[in-house]
Amino acid sequence: MQQEVTTYYLEMRAPHELRPKRVEMEGLQLIKAEIPSAELQHFLYRSVGGDWYWYEKADWTYQQWLEYAQNPHLHTWVLFLKGTPAGYFQLEVQPDNQVQIVYFGLLPQFSGMGLGGHLLTCALEEAWRLGAKRVWVHTCSLDSPAALANYQARGMRLYRTETKLMEIPDQTPGPWPGAYG
């Protein structure tokens, strides 16, 4: 189906612009995925983005996921709550010390717990640790309604907006084929 989609581009240009949000919760751990894993990348992408029209990689082959996971400039961090994956973020170091938040989000059962602001705070701190001169991200009107507000609440500033008519699937891809029906 065709739908008008607005894409929002946000950036942060200095670490002191971060407005952190912390959550203290028993069993909350953030762990960097140190070993490239196609399975982990696929799981996180589909589990977090399945309800939000993250469909570009939904049909990737194992080989495509493996090549993606082996990108030496990609850094994946997973948030766990009592041993269960709750969300993740991926940072990609780009030319001129730009760091992009490539993917960011929570698994559906963990939204509404205040973890999004905490996780984004961690993502921005890690981006600055990677030597960023600028951290940027894009989100769109198909993403979680909380996404844009969270980025702005943490201190990221909108620098570009684009609206265009796009061909999108009739429904979100879900966490795996046939999950919803």
Side-chain angles (χ1 to χ4, degrees):
M1 74 175 159
Q2 285 206 330
Q3 183 170 329
E4 194 171 84
V5 177
T6 301
T7 302
Y8 306 95
Y9 296 85
L10 300 103
E11 66 182 358
M12 185 176 284
R13 293 197 164 265
H16 72 268
E17 295 174 356
L18 173 61
R19 293 191 301 263
K21 180 181 179 194
R22 303 278 182 211
V23 173
E24 294 297 326
M25 200 176 286
E26 186 180 336
L28 193 62
Q29 289 183 293
L30 183 66
I31 300 175
K32 185 175 183 183
E34 300 276 350
I35 300 169
S37 168
E39 295 86 351
L40 178 64
Q41 297 297 329
H42 180 261
F43 164 76
L44 293 169
Y45 178 85
R46 291 297 297 259
S47 298
V48 169
D51 289 345
W52 304 117
Y53 284 98
W54 292 11
Y55 58 87
E56 293 88 354
K57 294 177 175 69
D59 295 324
W60 271 18
T61 64
Y62 179 85
Q63 189 60 38
Q64 287 172 299
W65 280 112
L66 185 59
E67 289 170 14
Y68 180 78
Q70 292 173 337
N71 176 350
H73 303 289
L74 191 68
H75 303 268
T76 302
W77 290 81
V78 183
L79 184 69
F80 292 88
L81 182 56
K82 297 184 179 181
T84 300
Y88 83 119
F89 63 84
Q90 287 184 330
L91 304 174
E92 183 179 42
V93 179
Q94 299 172 337
D96 300 322
N97 293 343
Q98 310 269 336
V99 175
Q100 180 185 4
I101 301 172
V102 182
Y103 290 107
F104 172 87
L106 300 171
L107 279 76
Q109 74 193 74
F110 296 98
S111 64
M113 299 171 66
L115 297 174
H118 177 86
L119 185 59
L120 184 54
T121 296
C122 295
L124 290 162
E125 290 171 340
E126 291 300 331
W128 294 116
R129 281 190 197 102
L130 288 169
K133 289 185 179 170
R134 173 181 175 254
V135 182
W136 72 280
V137 67
H138 64 80
T139 187
C140 74
S141 54
L142 297 175
D143 207 349
S144 166
L148 181 60
N150 189 21
Y151 292 127
Q152 291 177 313
R154 302 291 71 76
M156 299 192 84
R157 287 190 303 274
L158 192 63
Y159 69 91
R160 188 168 88 217
T161 303
E162 295 176 347
T163 300
K164 58 184 170 182
L165 200 57
M166 293 179 64
E167 190 68 34
I168 63 169
D170 290 339
Q171 64 183 29
T172 61
W176 56 79
Y180 299 136

